[in-house]
Every structure is written in structure tokens, then in C-alpha cells.
Amino acid sequence: MGSSRLRIFDPHVERKDSALLLGRELPLPTFDVPYFKYIDEEDEEDEWSSRSQSSTEDDSVDSLLSDRYVVVSGTPEKILEHLLNDLHLEEVQDKETETLLDDFLLTYTVFMTTDDLCQALLRQYPSTNHQGKEEILDISYRKRKVLHLVSQWTSLYKDWLHEDENLKQFLKTIYRNVLDDVYEYPVLEKDLKEFQKLLGMHRRHTVDEYSPHRKHKAIFHQFSLKENWLQNRGTVNETEEVFCRVYITEHSYVSVKTKVSTTAQEIVKIVAEKLQHSQEDLALVAVSFSGEKHELQPNDMAITKALESSVRMFVFRKDLTDTLNPFAENDEAQQRSVRILGINTWDLALELTSFDWSLFNLVHEQELIYFTFSRQGSEENTVNLSLLLQRCNEVQLWVATEILLCSQLCKRVQLVKKFIKIAAHCKAQRNLNSFFAIVMGLNTASVSRLSQTWERIPGKFKKLFTELESLTDPSLNHKAYRDAFKKMKSPKIPFMPLLLKDVTFIHEGNKTFLDNLVNFEKLHMIADTVRTLRHCRRNQFGSEVSPKEHLELKSYVHHLHIIDNQQMLFELSHRIEPRV
């Protein structure tokens, strides 16, 4: 930081005069917090400040303060203007400009609305009034820069903003502008075609069609919404898959991932198989918060009802007198948990990884920013991230549930060994999300107190578990985990709660605005952290499980039986191993 050079850009100074200020060195007061830096421009009142720093650092994925940087602080308009000035249209951008562009697009929602950005871009798109040939070239180049930035923006966000009315209107307006301009500036034809591809337009045009004498009809194609089960915005399609909880008791449920078109009969079958219970005497019931019960008929679409916020889905006995009691001490309960003991641990870990990857792969980088800054409507904008965090929590509870529902000591010992091996395989498969969840599940107080069980665990398994535990050690800001994760090649799945903690730490440790200027250094640190997702997803996971085994494992992993009440877990723990 000591060698940084601060450059001041004053919009009221002529260009030739301002060039004299580029080399002026000014003090740059800083306040350091662990791992991150807090930039405070107390003495500057200009609309814009910038610094340039040479660096020989590696472009490390996990480095939160990577090489360079250009912008320290400024008003949104001046940051955008500087970005467009430095932008060039060659195929490969210089690293600093590319990073600045990505930082701006990832974090603009922190300091301006989408409508603000749209209006600012329209103001940056120059009018066609000109005098000489040089000015024509300048104007066309500026127009192309704006179009390039819009292209990068929409490419980065994909479906994220597909319902934003301001963006829709902006794209219509900018497209009309280009249609009007392309006859006078033929160089825009290539950009227009790229823009058409971006919008999903397939109609071919020639320069003659862009004549200003021709009446244009704006063509606009809304961004396509991927039909996946995680994009929970807009109308839910019957072919989409969703999460739902089917409760067995007040604090125990089966987490079900299934299509929206799934019937009540199919849901009952899933729960019955999971609990190893006869399907014939079970019924699916929608219970409102007021306690009113509504039994669903076998062919009713159960998920549509389950998606209502005021309703919980329960499995009752058909006379509706009572829910199931999977915790009863009887012969049937004695046989539980045998199924998982017969499953290959590597294949089970691989299916867990495949499931987590399907969640992680659809988490948009913006979701971490919305989650951290808690902007209005953040719940709608963090659906995928919330599901991944929910899954991590459910895997942890699933581990405890499986162990504590196994009343036979010898089988319980086998189960603990099984989960230790699954955790090791998850680490080998670079799925740190499930790895952490399983280790934390084994360390749950209701499980760790089972002294009789742990005494019978062989020494080599205890040693392996100790090694796995060391990666979850939070000391030195989770140094063990960070070092191990950094060495792993992509694709890999990070432990998402820790990544969110990093973003939150940067946010809470640094001001977003300094003297009414955007603290862009802070936003760069946030963007650098969020880009971890991108680097983790450079490659795709492949499945190594045979088709037949895959279907059986998929059914098991997609429908986990979970007890989400700590008191109930402790009661089960004391039942199988009473306090001496």
C-alpha cells in the first residue's frame, strides 16, 4: 500500500490540464483489519479517485487481495465513465480493466439500482450529433463500448434479471437506438448481430434494412427461464423439481426432491419406503397452521399444495388419528438403518456430491451479495443459495438421525465407521460442503456422548476421523481448510457457510461509502471472494456410478429422513445409551 499512487480525476478540469495531475502522489490513510483492508479517503472531496499498483503476485483463486488495483472510490457515474474510458474492444482485455469491469458488474447492486445503471448507460450512449470525421469515429467507438458493457452484463447475469422490467425496457430502448444508428455507423452491424444473439433474435438483417427511412418495429425476446427446480421465480412448471418436507411427527420429516406433478400416492410411497413401513394404511394430509386437516386423494398433485406457505404436509395413518411413530422401541425399529450399511460408501459419497453439485452449480454469484447485504426482496434473490445451505444443515441432521435411530450397538458402531468413510470420500471428491456436514453431524453432542459406541470404533478409524476433524478446525481463520481447499483442483464444492462468513466480514469491517463516494476497494474484495464460485466451477463433475445403482442411490440421497429437534435427538441418545 505504501507504494500506491493516487490519481485524481476532476471533471471540471480540462483534459490537457488534468493529465498533469496523474503523477501527483498523495497520502493514502489505511486501517487494517485481519485479512482485509479498510480504505478511508478522509482528505479527498473529489468525485473520483484512483490508484495504480504494479504487482508480481499470483492470480490466486483464494487471494482476497489479488494484484493491482485501479479504483479506490468514486461516484457511480464517474466509476462507470472511467470504466468505459479504459475499456477497449480487442478480444483480450488488459487484466486491470477486465477485473474492474467484473467487479463493477458483480457489485453495482450495492450502490445503485438496476434502473440507475440502465439510465446511466443510456446517458453514456452518445447522440449522433457530430461535426467532423474524427468525432464520428469517437462516437461510434463509444457506442460500441457501451454495447460491449451491456453484453458483458447480460452474459454475466443470464437469467438473474429476466423479470426486471427496467432492464427489459432498457434493452428495448438500446436496441432501437442501435437500429437507428447502424445505417449511419455501419461498424455497429457486427455489434448489432451480437446483440441479437444475446437477446435470442434469429432474424437476419442487412445494412439497407437499417435505413432511417424504414419504419422499425422493435424486436425483443425475453431471456429464457431455465426449467430447473432451483429457479423458483415466476410460474412453477409441472416438470420442475422442488424440495418439500413431508412431516412424520412435529419435529421429524423426510426431505423430498421431486417433480411438481408428483401425486399424493407417489409421495406416500416415497415416505413408506424411507421408513420401511407399509404404504396401504398411510395417507398424505395437508395441515394448516390452525390445525385443520385436509386429506389428499391418491391422484391429487401434492406438491402444489405443499408449496403453500401456510400448509405443512404430514403422513398420517388412514384413520387420521395419529401420525407415525418411527421412534418406538419395537422389533421393526430394531431392523432400521440396515439399508445404509449395505450401500457402497464411495458410491454414496459420489451421489451426495452429485446432488450438492446440482445445487451449487446454480447458485449465482449475486446471491452471496444479496444474502450479505440483505437487500429488499433478498429471499427471492437467494433461493438457490438458501437451498444449498439448507442441504448442508439437513445432511448434518441426517447423520445424527441415522445413528440415533439405530438401537443395536454393533450396527451403530458400523454406522459411525460408515459415516467416517463417507466423509473421507467426500473430501477425496472435493465436496467440502457435505464433508463438513458429516463431520459436524458426528460431532453433534447427542452423538459424541455415545461413549459405548465410540469405544468400539477401531483405532485406525479414530485416527482417520481425527485427521478429518483437523480440517474443520476454526483456528487461524480456518487455515487448515483454506490451505487444503486451495490445493484442490476444480471442480470442487466449497463449504458455503464459511464463504458467506468471508463476504460478511468484508462488509461489516469496511464502509460502503466514504464521504459520499462508493468505496470500490471494499467492493473489489467482495467481488474477489464471490468469484470463488466461478473458479470452483471451471470443470464439471462426472458420474461414475452404474445406471442401476445410480437410481437406487439417487432415491436414497434425494429423500433423507431427518429429525430437526435437538431435544428429541438427546432423548433418543439417552434411550440407546442411558447416562451411567
Side-chain angles (χ1 to χ4, degrees):
M1 292 293 294
S3 61
S4 299
R5 305 182 73 186
L6 188 66
R7 300 184 296 167
I8 307 299
F9 289 80
D10 189 340
H12 304 295
V13 180
E14 293 182 8
R15 184 179 301 177
K16 63 179 182 180
D17 295 328
S18 62
L20 300 175
L21 300 176
L22 295 182
R24 186 174 63 177
E25 294 189 26
L26 295 176
L28 186 64
T30 63
F31 172 72
D32 288 348
V33 291
Y35 298 96
F36 307 107
K37 294 182 178 178
Y38 173 76
I39 310 301
D40 190 354
E41 303 286 350
E42 293 180 350
D43 301 325
E44 304 303 325
E45 297 180 355
D46 299 79
E47 292 183 76
W48 165 259
S49 62
S50 163
R51 68 182 168 87
S52 175
Q53 177 179 341
S54 61
S55 173
T56 57
E57 280 185 37
D58 284 339
D59 183 22
S60 171
V61 172
D62 301 290
S63 172
L64 298 179
L65 289 173
S66 58
D67 57 7
R68 72 6 98 180
Y69 197 45
V70 180
V71 179
V72 174
S73 61
T75 63
E77 285 273 1
K78 297 305 295 184
I79 293 173
L80 179 60
E81 182 181 329
H82 172 74
L83 179 56
L84 289 169
N85 287 338
D86 278 10
L87 197 64
H88 53 82
L89 300 176
E90 288 77 4
E91 291 185 4
V92 180
Q93 294 284 342
D94 65 86
K95 189 174 180 181
E96 286 187 353
T97 303
E98 185 179 6
T99 302
L100 173 60
L101 174 60
D102 199 52
D103 290 350
F104 179 85
L105 294 177
L106 277 175
T107 62
Y108 80 88
T109 53
V110 173
F111 54 87
M112 66 194 306
T113 65
T114 298
D115 184 42
D116 290 338
L117 179 56
C118 291
Q119 296 305 315
L121 285 169
L122 286 175
R123 287 191 293 272
Q124 292 293 332
Y125 190 83
S127 64
T128 56
N129 297 326
H130 56 82
Q131 297 294 329
K133 185 176 180 180
E134 290 186 7
E135 197 168 345
I136 292 176
L137 293 175
D138 288 344
I139 289 174
S140 63
Y141 198 61
R142 187 71 172 188
K143 290 177 185 288
R144 292 184 62 204
K145 284 185 174 185
V146 173
L147 294 178
H148 178 75
L149 192 147
V150 173
S151 175
Q152 293 294 312
W153 179 25
T154 50
S155 176
L156 178 64
Y157 279 69
K158 296 184 175 68
D159 297 326
W160 180 260
L161 294 171
H162 78 277
E163 287 186 346
D164 193 295
E165 293 299 327
N166 293 317
L167 180 63
K168 289 181 187 179
Q169 188 60 45
F170 165 72
L171 291 175
K172 289 180 182 179
T173 303
I174 200 82
Y175 184 64
R176 289 194 193 102
N177 289 343
V178 180
L179 281 175
D180 290 337
D181 291 342
V182 77
Y183 182 76
E184 190 168 359
Y185 303 97
V187 70
L188 294 179
E189 183 173 5
K190 181 180 178 181
D191 298 275
L192 182 62
K193 288 180 179 178
E194 290 298 319
F195 209 65
Q196 289 168 342
K197 290 179 184 178
L198 177 69
L199 299 175
M201 302 175 186
H202 303 291
R203 178 181 171 185
R204 297 178 66 95
H205 295 277
T206 62
V207 173
D208 289 338
E209 288 182 271
Y210 306 138
S211 167
H213 302 292
R214 180 182 176 91
K215 291 183 178 180
H216 304 300
K217 183 176 181 180
I219 303 171
F220 178 75
H221 182 73
Q222 180 178 337
F223 294 112
S224 60
L225 171 63
K226 291 180 181 177
E227 290 185 358
N228 59 64
W229 60 288
L230 296 171
Q231 297 288 348
N232 193 25
R233 307 183 187 97
T235 305
V236 180
N237 192 295
E238 290 185 8
T239 61
E240 290 181 297
E241 291 184 293
V242 295
F243 265 129
C244 75
R245 294 177 175 179
V246 182
Y247 283 82
I248 305 159
T249 68
E250 192 67 31
H251 300 293
S252 172
Y253 62 88
V254 174
S255 178
V256 176
K257 177 194 171 190
T258 187
K259 292 182 179 179
V260 175
S261 58
T262 303
T263 63
Q265 185 176 15
E266 292 169 325
I267 293 291
V268 170
K269 182 180 178 181
I270 290 171
V271 175
E273 287 179 354
K274 177 59 64 175
L275 300 180
Q276 301 170 25
H277 194 283
S278 174
Q279 179 183 346
E280 283 68 29
D281 65 334
L282 300 180
L284 191 63
V285 180
V287 181
S288 66
F289 286 161
S290 62
E292 183 181 351
K293 299 176 183 176
H294 171 69
E295 181 178 354
L296 276 69
Q297 297 305 307
N299 293 325
D300 287 348
M301 288 179 62
I303 304 301
T304 305
K305 193 72 177 175
L307 290 176
E308 297 179 14
S309 59
S310 61
V311 169
R312 271 188 174 185
M313 303 303 297
F314 274 82
V315 169
F316 275 79
R317 300 187 188 278
K318 279 199 171 176
D319 57 8
L320 301 186
T321 56
D322 195 13
T323 55
L324 294 175
N325 184 9
F327 319 125
E329 295 183 275
N330 50 38
D331 293 337
E332 184 178 330
Q334 295 286 323
Q335 299 303 317
R336 265 203 101 267
S337 300
V338 175
R339 185 180 177 191
I340 187 175
L341 293 177
I343 299 176
N344 180 278
T345 52
W346 177 265
D347 290 345
L348 181 55
L350 201 61
E351 195 60 45
L352 284 169
T353 298
S354 176
F355 189 99
D356 286 358
W357 182 256
S358 69
L359 295 170
F360 173 67
N361 203 31
L362 288 169
V363 175
H364 196 283
E365 294 161 340
Q366 267 292 311
E367 295 192 46
L368 278 74
I369 295 173
Y370 268 87
F371 193 94
T372 303
F373 283 81
S374 301
R375 294 180 66 90
Q376 188 176 6
S378 60
E379 290 184 6
E380 295 179 3
N381 292 319
T382 59
V383 173
N384 303 336
L385 177 60
S386 297
L387 286 174
L388 184 57
L389 295 173
Q390 174 186 319
R391 177 65 176 184
C392 182
N393 187 50
E394 287 185 345
V395 169
Q396 180 181 347
L397 291 170
W398 164 65
V399 171
T401 301
E402 289 287 345
I403 293 171
L404 296 174
L405 285 179
C406 184
S407 56
Q408 293 178 294
L409 179 59
C410 60
K411 288 182 179 179
R412 198 160 61 248
V413 171
Q414 292 180 54
L415 261 179
V416 173
K417 290 165 56 180
K418 194 92 172 176
F419 279 121
I420 291 173
K421 290 173 68 177
I422 294 171
H425 292 329
C426 283
K427 174 179 173 287
Q429 295 166 12
R430 305 185 297 282
N431 177 8
L432 280 302
N433 210 52
S434 280
F435 164 77
F436 262 81
I438 294 170
V439 172
M440 290 189 297
L442 290 168
N443 276 325
T444 302
S446 54
V447 174
S448 62
R449 66 163 296 276
L450 301 175
S451 56
Q452 296 176 39
T453 303
W454 286 100
E455 284 171 2
R456 297 200 178 193
I457 302 297
K460 66 177 183 179
F461 278 91
K462 289 182 178 178
K463 181 181 178 182
L464 174 60
F465 185 58
T466 300
E467 292 173 357
L468 298 177
E469 272 187 308
S470 67
L471 283 180
T472 66
D473 181 7
S475 62
L476 298 175
N477 196 21
H478 290 271
K479 184 179 186 302
Y481 161 77
R482 294 183 192 279
D483 289 346
F485 189 72
K486 187 176 181 179
K487 294 175 183 177
M488 293 179 180
K489 63 181 181 179
S490 63
K492 53 186 178 180
I493 305 173
F495 181 48
M496 289 303 294
L498 185 56
L499 194 59
L500 281 171
K501 177 186 174 184
D502 289 343
V503 179
T504 302
F505 185 86
I506 299 170
H507 171 46
E508 294 182 350
N510 299 272
K511 295 179 181 178
T512 303
F513 295 94
L514 301 170
D515 297 328
N516 296 321
L517 300 180
V518 178
N519 180 9
F520 208 78
E521 178 73 3
K522 166 185 175 175
L523 300 183
H524 164 71
M525 291 189 287
I526 289 177
D528 216 18
T529 306
V530 166
R531 270 191 289 269
T532 300
L533 302 188
R534 194 178 308 175
H535 297 299
C536 290
R537 298 190 287 223
R538 280 178 174 166
N539 301 301
Q540 294 292 313
F541 273 110
S543 177
E544 303 170 13
V545 184
S546 65
K548 182 180 179 181
E549 292 174 335
H550 173 70
L551 290 176
E552 295 175 359
L553 284 169
K554 183 178 179 180
S555 175
Y556 185 85
V557 169
H558 285 208
H559 315 311
L560 300 180
H561 180 202
I562 293 159
I563 300 172
D564 63 352
N565 182 274
Q566 292 299 324
Q567 182 177 349
M568 185 175 291
L569 290 173
F570 265 105
E571 289 176 2
L572 288 170
S573 179
H574 285 282
R575 180 189 298 177
I576 59 178
E577 288 193 23
R579 183 180 298 161
V580 178

